[in-house]
Amino acid sequence: MYVSIGPINLVSVDDSRGCLDWLSEHDWETVVCFSFGTAITPPPHELQALCEARKESELPFLWSFRGNPEKQLPSGFLKRTSSKWKMVPWAPQQKISEHPSVGIKLVLEKECTDILDPSG
């Protein structure tokens, strides 16, 4: 299932962080991918909810996360889930979308938040 809200970067395919190799280690349609674009980060209560849902799901996840996850995510989350995740500051969105191991992809970009909430 893909929930793509907003545009994705279709130009760059740089995978210097090894996202595609990591995805290839997982079964078909088992990985959850999160990306919130370059201009936004969800508020703390939404990050908390995502982390709780991620922990409950037991599915592997790839998270393109700008910022400092140690400070912005719940205490201990990275350590408790480290065997099931890969977190990078940037990922090649088009290549990830095409990868067979990706089962769920959530993308939210700044342009879309302006549409959903014109005030801000």
Side-chain angles (χ1 to χ4, degrees):
M1 174 176 76
Y2 291 96
V3 179
S4 186
I5 304 173
I8 61 175
N9 181 345
L10 299 176
V11 178
S12 179
V13 294
D14 171 46
D15 188 32
S16 59
R17 292 174 180 88
C19 297
L20 299 175
D21 288 340
W22 184 85
L23 286 171
S24 293
E25 297 172 6
H26 295 86
D27 292 334
W28 188 61
E29 294 187 347
T30 60
V31 177
V32 178
C33 294
F34 298 117
S35 176
F36 297 108
T38 57
I40 65 166
T41 298
H45 70 279
E46 290 178 10
L47 287 174
Q48 175 77 31
L50 274 173
C51 290
E52 288 174 14
R54 198 342 279 149
K55 187 174 74 175
E56 294 294 320
S57 76
E58 296 291 323
L59 294 171
F61 71 99
L62 173 63
W63 197 341
S64 179
F65 189 93
R66 291 223 177 228
N68 186 338
E70 288 85 11
K71 290 183 179 180
Q72 293 172 273
L73 299 179
S75 177
F77 173 76
L78 296 176
K79 188 175 251 182
R80 286 190 309 273
T81 60
S82 65
S83 66
K84 291 271 191 175
W85 62 269
K86 181 170 185 71
M87 189 172 289
V88 296
W90 186 91
Q93 297 296 331
Q94 182 178 11
K95 291 292 186 187
I96 287 171
S97 294
E98 296 168 351
H99 200 283
S101 70
V102 175
I104 299 172
K105 185 164 190 235
L106 174 64
V107 177
L108 182 61
E109 295 282 348
K110 171 74 170 99
E111 294 82 3
C112 190
T113 60
D114 291 343
I115 294 167
L116 296 174
D117 181 10
S119 67

